Amino acid sequence: MNAQTELKPYVIGLDLGGTNSVFGIVDARGDIKATTAIKTQGYATVEGYVDACVEALQVIIEQVGGIEQIKAMGIGAPNGNFYNGTIEFAPNLPWAHDGVVPLAKMFSERLDNIPVGLTNDANAAAIGEMTYGVARGMKNFIVITLGTGVGSGIVINGQVLYGCDGFAGELGHVIMRRENGRSCGCGRNGCLEAYCSATGVARTARELLETTNEPSLLRELDPEKITSLDVSIAAGKGDDLANKIYQFTGHMLGEACADFAAFSSPEAFIFFGGMTKAGELIMKPIRESYEEHVLKIFKGKAQFLVSGLEGSSAAVLGASAIGWEL
Amino acid sequence: MNAQTELKPYVIGLDLGGTNSVFGIVDARGDIKATTAIKTQGYATVEGYVDACVEALQVIIEQVGGIEQIKAMGIGAPNGNFYNGTIEFAPNLPWAHDGVVPLAKMFSERLDNIPVGLTNDANAAAIGEMTYGVARGMKNFIVITLGTGVGSGIVINGQVLYGCDGFAGELGHVIMRRENGRSCGCGRNGCLEAYCSATGVARTARELLETTNEPSLLRELDPEKITSLDVSIAAGKGDDLANKIYQFTGHMLGEACADFAAFSSPEAFIFFGGMTKAGELIMKPIRESYEEHVLKIFKGKAQFLVSGLEGSSAAVLGASAIGWEL
């Protein structure tokens, strides 16, 4: 690294979601200096998508003083492969659903050849927590993202775990129910994600409404349209059934974390995503279940934390943090 | 490292088992130049045990030209903690069952202050495979030891995974049956070890003999005394029930490895220990079950190998390999 490189004060973060692509230009403290966004959908080719991105980016790059102020760019994207900077067979991206797209290289070529790194959103969150969040100073921890799916970013000796192919850390797809497990989007049954994602929580709600007669505020809603947010609101009003749904979800997450401890013995589990807004409603059963289930030598060692990255910009911050590592 | 250090051609390995303590002096190719052993039991204090070890060691150290020929020593021991070179609360070692014993330091002080490293036997096996065995050149793999218990040594980016406390890699204690699981020595139920260790295989044999009427050579034996070796011998003679026992065991190991892939996406799973002598009888159901259960993105990527370390000296070789890393 030469002196000139060290002086570049900003990195670009791109949170590439199925609906929106959100950009931020971020300094070393995690302050977002400029931000913009485009829709992810509506582009038939990746070239068209990158053109639209760069057009939007140019505006905010100028706002911070031009490309020479930018050290690097980080992208958090579904099915992102860090090793080769590609998005591979991403079902929700029309221009990447049946192939391998070298997105990092394409952005670098359009942005004065700055380094561009890409990984999946959960790994980006893990790097974000290490750089700006609650994992500063930690060397061994696991970020679990609770969103539409359940994702994970595993950090070992201060480095994200990518495995032999770039795809390590799919903890949403460990099997929690080997018999009569719920069907999962991955084509298998019983995955953690089928129970503990936002959609999993809604499924639990429907199951409990169908199989019990317990009164609940949730009975006022169309069962097919119940979301994890509805459950959170009902629980906040003291609804017993809604509380049971969080108990069930947290209990399973705690059991899963007990198995993860047997793998990497992390100093902390950090939960990220919308569902963490439920606070102690979800965190308390996670902690209690973990301590109940974990192997004796690991008891009392791991912290259970909620992401330290700020709400709506958390994913952009995570993505940007990849830039500092390049 | 100075020139003199580099010229030291040997390391000492100690395989510290519950019954025997086996020593070897090993060169960089994994050739054992000299070997000796003492009983592990019969010493009331750790000082007494170390005295006896050093007395036996002196003889073979002289055989290879004296302590100045020795670069370092590695110890594979139950409940061994690499970070601080201690054995902690090892139930089968009278002088370490209720405390923390600084064994690495004690050996170093008695052996001209050579560096001494210590870890558990499964991690030692993993280092051994990287140094002398089938994992040479690999950066991401998992060794699973099938013995009295089920242990594991996980290698990530070329380094053994120790976690925040030195105790990572307890994959024998992930939960495979969350309901009605077999009791495990760890005090919990449903652990992989309760099914897939040598004792687990014997339990499976007793269960199948009790719950079916299927004819089997194993019915000629006292059920309480059946061992995994008996099962192996019967299977070798074409006994159907014995084959079913291996099918069951391999099937569960394959399911477990599918979950481990979601964690670290290793390039290989390497099986170590007596049960691997059953060869394809156990390896075939492991591979088949893995490919059936693993997440689509990992299918066909991992190799399934049997340890490349030689039979009775495998554990000593593994322990000695720690010495080269110090």
Side-chain angles (χ1 to χ4, degrees):
Chain A
M1 194 185 285
N2 60 33
Q4 197 183 10
T5 310
E6 288 191 68
L7 288 171
K8 293 181 174 181
Y10 304 124
V11 289
I12 298 171
L14 162 55
D15 167 32
L16 199 172
T19 309
N20 295 311
S21 291
V22 184
F23 299 87
I25 298 184
V26 182
D27 71 12
R29 290 173 168 183
D31 285 336
I32 298 180
K33 295 299 179 185
T35 183
T36 187
I38 68 166
K39 292 279 170 204
T40 302
Q41 304 293 333
Y43 304 95
T45 65
V46 62
E47 287 78 13
Y49 171 75
V50 173
D51 281 346
C53 285
V54 171
E55 194 181 321
L57 263 177
Q58 296 296 6
V59 178
I60 59 168
I61 290 172
E62 288 314 311
Q63 284 173 23
V64 301
I67 191 73
E68 53 279 6
Q69 300 296 311
I70 311 285
K71 179 183 178 295
M73 175 175 180
I75 304 171
N79 295 41
N81 187 325
F82 180 77
Y83 286 144
N84 37 31
T86 51
I87 294 181
E88 307 189 7
F89 305 98
N92 298 321
L93 302 175
W95 40 264
H97 68 55
D98 54 0
V100 174
V101 171
L103 199 68
K105 183 162 164 279
M106 294 179 72
F107 270 104
S108 180
E109 285 172 358
R110 299 290 298 275
L111 296 170
D112 252 29
N113 293 309
I114 61 170
V116 179
L118 180 158
T119 186
N120 72 40
D121 45 356
N123 289 337
I127 299 171
E129 295 297 342
M130 255 195 303
T131 313
Y132 315 120
V134 294
R136 272 173 293 185
M138 287 188 193
K139 294 286 183 199
N140 291 282
F141 64 93
I142 298 178
V143 169
I144 296 175
T145 62
L146 302 173
T148 316
V150 173
S152 64
I154 303 166
V155 171
I156 289 176
N157 293 335
Q159 294 182 312
V160 173
L161 172 52
Y162 293 112
C164 76
D165 57 355
F167 292 119
E170 285 290 351
L171 299 185
H173 297 284
V174 299
I175 305 297
M176 297 303 293
R177 290 285 178 273
R178 296 192 188 274
E179 283 171 30
N180 303 314
R182 286 185 192 166
S183 64
C184 181
C186 73
R188 306 177 310 155
N189 297 314
C191 294
L192 181 64
E193 172 165 304
Y195 296 88
C196 298
S197 61
T199 42
V201 168
R203 283 168 87 171
T204 304
R206 283 192 289 276
E207 273 187 20
L208 284 180
L209 289 169
E210 274 169 33
T211 57
T212 72
N213 289 316
E214 201 172 322
S216 168
L217 296 167
L218 296 171
R219 294 202 184 274
E220 296 164 17
L221 306 171
D222 175 353
E224 290 311 307
K225 291 184 180 159
I226 286 178
T227 66
S228 67
L229 184 62
D230 296 325
V231 179
S232 173
I233 291 168
K237 292 178 181 166
D239 188 82
D240 278 348
L241 191 78
N243 266 302
K244 274 185 194 153
I245 295 164
Y246 276 112
Q247 284 281 343
F248 172 85
T249 309
H251 191 268
M252 186 180 284
L253 283 167
E255 275 187 284
C257 289
D259 276 352
F260 304 158
F263 205 101
S264 71
S265 187
E267 59 197 289
F269 293 94
I270 301 169
F271 293 84
F272 181 102
M275 256 168 58
T276 61
K277 287 182 191 141
E280 279 299 287
L281 225 50
I282 184 87
M283 296 303 289
K284 187 162 177 276
I286 292 175
R287 282 196 308 270
E288 288 177 352
S289 167
Y290 178 82
E291 294 296 338
E292 179 191 338
H293 290 103
V294 79
L295 199 59
K296 197 176 164 195
I297 47 167
F298 300 122
K299 273 189 205 295
K301 288 183 178 171
Q303 297 181 68
F304 285 80
L305 304 170
V306 171
S307 168
L309 302 182
E310 211 183 316
S312 63
S313 52
V316 169
L317 282 175
S320 78
I322 302 165
W324 300 117
E325 308 249 311
L326 296 172
Chain B
M1 193 185 286
N2 60 32
Q4 197 184 11
T5 311
E6 287 191 69
L7 288 172
K8 293 182 176 180
Y10 304 124
V11 288
I12 298 171
L14 162 55
D15 167 33
L16 199 172
T19 309
N20 295 312
S21 292
V22 184
F23 298 87
I25 298 183
V26 183
D27 71 12
R29 291 173 169 184
D31 285 336
I32 298 179
K33 296 298 178 184
T35 183
T36 187
I38 68 167
K39 292 279 169 204
T40 303
Q41 304 293 334
Y43 304 95
T45 65
V46 62
E47 286 78 12
Y49 171 74
V50 173
D51 281 347
C53 286
V54 171
E55 194 182 321
L57 261 177
Q58 296 296 6
V59 178
I60 58 170
I61 289 172
E62 289 313 311
Q63 283 174 21
V64 301
I67 191 73
E68 52 280 3
Q69 300 296 311
I70 311 285
K71 179 183 176 294
M73 175 175 179
I75 304 170
N79 296 42
N81 187 324
F82 180 77
Y83 287 143
N84 36 33
T86 52
I87 295 181
E88 308 189 6
F89 304 98
N92 298 323
L93 302 176
W95 39 265
H97 67 55
D98 54 1
V100 174
V101 171
L103 199 66
K105 183 162 163 280
M106 293 178 73
F107 271 104
S108 181
E109 285 172 357
R110 299 290 298 275
L111 296 169
D112 252 30
N113 293 310
I114 61 169
V116 179
L118 181 158
T119 187
N120 71 41
D121 45 355
N123 289 336
I127 298 171
E129 296 296 342
M130 258 195 301
T131 312
Y132 314 120
V134 294
R136 271 173 294 186
M138 288 188 193
K139 294 287 183 196
N140 291 282
F141 65 93
I142 297 178
V143 169
I144 296 175
T145 62
L146 302 173
T148 316
V150 173
S152 64
I154 303 167
V155 171
I156 289 178
N157 294 334
Q159 296 181 310
V160 173
L161 173 51
Y162 293 112
C164 76
D165 56 357
F167 291 119
E170 284 291 351
L171 298 185
H173 296 285
V174 299
I175 305 297
M176 297 304 293
R177 291 285 179 271
R178 295 190 187 275
E179 284 170 30
N180 303 315
R182 285 185 192 166
S183 65
C184 180
C186 73
R188 305 176 311 154
N189 297 314
C191 294
L192 180 64
E193 172 165 304
Y195 296 88
C196 298
S197 60
T199 41
V201 168
R203 283 168 87 171
T204 304
R206 283 193 289 276
E207 273 187 22
L208 284 180
L209 288 169
E210 274 170 32
T211 57
T212 72
N213 289 316
E214 201 170 322
S216 167
L217 296 167
L218 296 170
R219 293 199 185 276
E220 296 164 16
L221 306 171
D222 176 353
E224 291 311 307
K225 291 184 180 159
I226 285 178
T227 65
S228 66
L229 184 62
D230 296 324
V231 179
S232 172
I233 291 167
K237 291 179 182 166
D239 188 82
D240 278 347
L241 192 79
N243 266 302
K244 274 184 193 152
I245 296 164
Y246 276 113
Q247 283 283 342
F248 172 86
T249 310
H251 190 269
M252 187 180 282
L253 283 167
E255 275 187 283
C257 288
D259 275 353
F260 304 159
F263 205 102
S264 71
S265 187
E267 59 197 289
F269 293 94
I270 300 169
F271 293 84
F272 181 102
M275 256 168 57
T276 62
K277 287 184 192 139
E280 279 300 286
L281 225 50
I282 184 88
M283 295 305 289
K284 186 163 178 276
I286 292 176
R287 282 195 310 269
E288 288 176 351
S289 167
Y290 178 81
E291 294 297 337
E292 179 191 338
H293 290 102
V294 79
L295 199 60
K296 197 177 164 193
I297 48 166
F298 300 122
K299 270 189 207 294
K301 287 184 180 172
Q303 298 180 67
F304 285 80
L305 305 170
V306 170
S307 169
L309 303 183
E310 211 181 316
S312 63
S313 52
V316 169
L317 282 174
S320 78
I322 302 165
W324 300 117
E325 309 248 311
L326 296 172

